Amino acid sequence: MARLGQASRVLVPVTPKPAGQPELEAALIREVVRGLQSAPFIVESESTSDYNCIAWAMGDCTRPWSPSISGGYYWPSDLPIGIPAVEVVEELFRRAGYSAAESPQLLPGIEKVAIYADEWREVRHAARQLDDGSWVSKMGDLADIRHDELEPVEGPIFGKVVMIMQRPRRT
Amino acid sequence: MPPLTDRPTRDVPEEIGRAPTCLVGRKHRLEWARYRRQLSRSSDYPEAARGKWRREYRRVDRGPARQGIEREFEELAEVWERETAIESFPHRKAMHPAYQQIIAIGPPVLPLVLRRLERRPGHWFWALRVLARYDAAAGVDNMVDARAAWLDWGRRHGYLSR
């Protein structure tokens, strides 16, 4: 039951602070994510370490979700801590109502998440699909962004998309 | 007890590791090794460690070595923040060489980490947990409260001004 109590917290609608200098935020992101140097994206928040990509994929911008050994991060107590393996993060999203999806294609009434991992199946990033088909990504401690395609975010930092999951879209 | 400078080098076990680069000279290295050895044997580690670390910090704080630590820490912290800003998970940030070098400086860097955390938020909880051998933010699930818990701990233990 404690798990249900914790999960209910993410349903509280909280909006990230908008970027004060979106051009500067965009430049910082382009500097490290090469795929975004040519692909369009929109900066939607300021840089912050208050939440991370997994949190934002879950719709939570109040705390970072991470299997950390130290306090300051949220992670279900019965999931392994340390390195976030794909299978562990998959279980995390399953508990939030997601199941495996075949493709990232937009479907009406369906919310999808994309999980990025490296070649050792360590999760490096996650993105969530909006109802217009675009994706939102929190870029580490930098801003969160909206992008049209999943591929430009792929690369040496975030790895490749290894899994798409879906659940009925919640209003 | 013979002066520290007369003690043979073999008294320093290998596993103690290297002293911070700011503690130059054989005397400093031996002192460093001795107090770490004493701490590791103490039955009341946390309390003994806190007192010893504070004394060590005050000693180093007085001299040019202190400025060396501060400069080294600030340079490493800038590199670490810049190069790991895009990383999403704290374990990846903590594995960065600059972060590991900060931890390797040892207890004298603890107040500097706390002061930096006081100036602005950051993923310092892993380093603080290792340096203090205590997690002031245990059970806390967000950055804001974890930062507040560590700053409160730092003030209560004399590492930060109230």
Side-chain angles (χ1 to χ4, degrees), chain B residues 21-40:
Chain B
T21 53
C22 52
L23 297 181
V24 291
R26 186 162 176 266
K27 180 182 175 185
H28 278 136
R29 284 199 301 274
L30 288 170
E31 280 183 358
W32 179 264
R34 187 178 64 129
Y35 96 78
R36 289 192 67 179
R37 191 162 61 241
Q38 286 173 348
L39 288 179
S40 67

Side-chain angles (χ1 to χ4, degrees), chain B residues 2 4 8 24 30 37 42 52 64 74 82 101 112 143-145 154 161:
Chain B
L4 280 170
V24 291
L30 288 170
R37 191 162 61 241
S42 171
K52 192 75 184 180
E74 290 297 335
R82 188 172 61 247
Q101 285 177 55
L112 302 179
M143 299 286 284
V144 175
D145 292 345
S161 55

Side-chain angles (χ1 to χ4, degrees), chain A residues 3-132:
Chain A
R3 210 165 70 204
L4 288 175
Q6 288 167 341
S8 67
R9 177 174 170 169
V10 307
L11 300 177
V12 177
V14 179
T15 309
K17 284 184 187 172
Q21 297 174 289
E23 281 309 314
L24 177 63
E25 302 279 0
L28 288 171
I29 291 167
R30 280 193 200 99
E31 195 175 310
V32 284
V33 183
R34 290 181 184 169
L36 291 173
Q37 288 174 359
S38 52
F41 68 94
I42 299 169
V43 172
E44 295 209 309
S45 80
E46 63 174 7
S47 290
T48 176
S49 56
D50 287 350
Y51 59 100
N52 65 356
C53 59
I54 301 289
W56 195 221
M58 288 284 190
D60 184 1
C61 63
T62 63
R63 54 189 177 169
W65 290 42
S66 182
S68 176
I69 60 165
S70 62
Y73 307 91
Y74 169 71
W75 199 248
S77 57
D78 57 339
L79 286 183
I81 61 167
I83 292 172
V86 170
E87 291 72 21
V88 175
V89 173
E90 180 187 359
E91 172 61 19
L92 187 70
F93 280 99
R94 282 192 189 281
R95 291 181 181 188
Y98 288 92
S99 58
E102 289 183 359
S103 80
Q105 190 178 354
L106 178 66
L107 295 175
I110 298 293
E111 182 178 72
K112 295 189 176 183
V113 293
I115 297 171
Y116 294 69
D118 60 22
E119 62 259 53
W120 295 283
R121 294 186 67 75
E122 177 183 338
V123 171
R124 304 291 298 273
H125 186 61
R128 171 167 48 91
Q129 193 176 41
L130 299 179
D131 56 9
D132 64 357

